[in-house]
Amino acid sequence: MFNVLKGTHDVIKDEALKYSYIEETLTNIAINYGYEEFRTPVIENSELFTRSVGDSSDIVRKEMYTFDDKGGRSITLRPEMTAGIVRSMVNAKLFAMQDFPVKAFYCGPNFRYERPQQGRYRQFNQFGVECVGVSTVERDVETIVLGYHMLQFLRFRDLKLLINTLGDEETRENYKKALKEYFGQHIDEMCNDCKERYKLNILRILDCKDPDDRPIIDKAPKITDYLSDAARERFEKIKEYLTKLEIPFEVDSELVRGLDYYTGVVFEFHYTSSNGNNYGAIGAGGHYGNLVKEIGGPDIEGVGFALGIERLAKIMEDDQLFPEINRNVEVYVMPIGEKAVQKAVEIAFELRLDFFRTEVCYEKKSMSALFKKAERKNAKFAVIIGEDELKDNTVNVKNMLTKEQVNISMQELPSYLVEKLDQNEHQHEHSCECSCCEGEECEHDDCDCDNEEGHCCCHHKHDCNKA
Ligand code: AMP
């Protein structure tokens, strides 16, 4: 027996469908905002991360899966995706075209050797965006708004948005001096990690999770008191925009994020599910001033964020935020006898070409066992082929809901099913089955419905067949 490695997990069946739902929904929104998809390798040169995420970050110091490949190169399984995405933009010379911003969205697995706990894995999936090549404050706002919009769309209502700024060079220099002075008086009482952070990158101390250190950290100087005029003005503008757009936020002056490349605004989205579960930030990001230059690109800035798919899925499960996803079989083909099995292969082939969700039982079973199987699969129709049907080239079709049974020719089968399936859908009295509409009448074709709050949430392919 082999088990999954500690901190990793299999995503199978319904759960995988839910991940796909999240990814598909986020993809549609990212495309609406003008982002294009990027897919980059899971393995990268280790130096990419030591340079970008930073030598002093916990990720680089303790959490990277790094190994030498057979050619003696130091390789790392990506612990985050921004560095690889920006590297790909540099490699593809996208910045040479000067058509800024370059906007990328991406989705995929990341690897961090962390202590596994609720919502924290060693392999986890992120969906993220990067908007690179511009430094206007409006791009920062647009990016935060996109994250907020995505989460609203997934029906995260009581969302907590925390924001802070890491200011500009001048701000950080002054602030670091103040922190050195303050923590210099307390560092002997703090954890070993903080002692290390004190030497390597003092800002990281603010990120310490050790409860014994928190009272000291809570009394530390706040960056908001050290902002240069330019940095203060920029941060004020961001707050003004968010207020104007009615996006609720809180300023958290201890928010520094675990990656060294951030400068300027940083933000996190938090959510506590109704049963009290909090899996940590569900998404986070910020502005980066030096990252592009640091990894070989021009001196341009960027802003982005990533959402954690595992955490989103857990909360959506807890709070039942997933819409009903209909995977029920439409047609269950039941051949009786060897010859009928051969016919069933052909019938299933045709039905599937016509996009009926079709299943067949090729295995020998009694009629009652076959019907039980059809019921378990919530099949709408059973198509029975026995010796008599083979002889006169017909099939018996049983409506599993109404129990009505008819004998029709094989040729008629597809059109019969189309007509009857439509009728089956109409038995819902034209009310949308997806949970967002909560039984309200859905007015749009293909269920592109707007729910009360004006968000369409019918990207999944359910069976709502409104005209
Ligand atoms: P980060 O790349 O650290 O800024 O994280 C962005 C988002 O990825 C977080 O808000 C989480 O939702 C998710 N995330 C980060 N680390 C983990 C992890 N170890 N397990 C699961 N999700 C994670």
Side-chain angles (χ1 to χ4, degrees), residues 112 114 119-121 124 126 257 259 281-284 306 308 311:
R112 293 183 195 171
E114 293 193 81
R120 191 171 293 286
Y121 299 94
F124 59 95
Q126 286 184 337
R257 309 284 308 117
L259 305 115
I282 50 177
R311 293 186 191 178

Side-chain angles (χ1 to χ4, degrees), residues 184-292:
Q185 299 158 32
H186 301 281
I187 199 67
D188 293 341
E189 309 148 49
M190 300 183 80
C191 71
N192 286 338
D193 270 343
C194 279
K195 291 192 175 88
E196 192 87 344
R197 292 173 181 131
Y198 183 80
K199 282 186 250 152
L200 291 173
N201 181 352
I202 196 147
L203 275 175
R204 292 263 74 82
I205 293 186
L206 301 178
D207 219 19
C208 175
K209 304 282 181 294
D210 189 329
D212 294 339
D213 289 351
R214 286 317 306 177
I216 300 174
I217 295 168
D218 288 345
K219 290 199 197 92
K222 307 283 178 246
I223 194 160
T224 31
D225 295 328
Y226 291 82
L227 296 178
S228 68
D229 289 346
R232 181 179 306 282
E233 196 182 318
R234 194 177 168 99
F235 194 45
E236 286 306 316
K237 246 181 161 177
I238 290 176
K239 290 193 285 181
E240 270 168 35
Y241 268 120
L242 293 177
T243 308
K244 210 179 277 171
L245 296 169
E246 295 183 21
I247 295 186
F249 65 89
E250 283 172 36
V251 174
D252 176 352
S253 52
E254 280 165 16
L255 183 68
V256 286
R257 309 284 308 117
L259 305 115
D260 282 357
Y261 51 65
Y262 287 125
T263 58
V265 69
V266 285
F267 53 93
E268 281 186 356
F269 294 104
H270 289 257
Y271 184 94
T272 307
S273 44
S274 47
N275 60 13
N277 277 342
N278 185 326
Y279 305 101
I282 50 177
H287 184 103
Y288 38 87
N290 308 318
L291 174 67
V292 186

Side-chain angles (χ1 to χ4, degrees), residues 381-382 384 395-399 403-408 416 420:
F381 288 91
I384 307 130
V395 284
N396 274 326
V397 188
K398 180 168 180 178
N399 184 325
K403 308 292 176 207
E404 176 194 11
Q405 188 162 323
V406 292
N407 181 264
I408 55 170
Y416 176 83
K420 290 293 172 184

Side-chain angles (χ1 to χ4, degrees), residues 426-445:
H426 284 81
Q427 287 181 357
H428 300 310
E429 294 172 353
H430 287 253
S431 64
C432 180
E433 273 194 299
C434 74
S435 48
C436 65
C437 293
E438 279 155 12
E440 290 301 311
E441 215 165 283
C442 170
E443 293 169 359
H444 302 262
D445 286 351

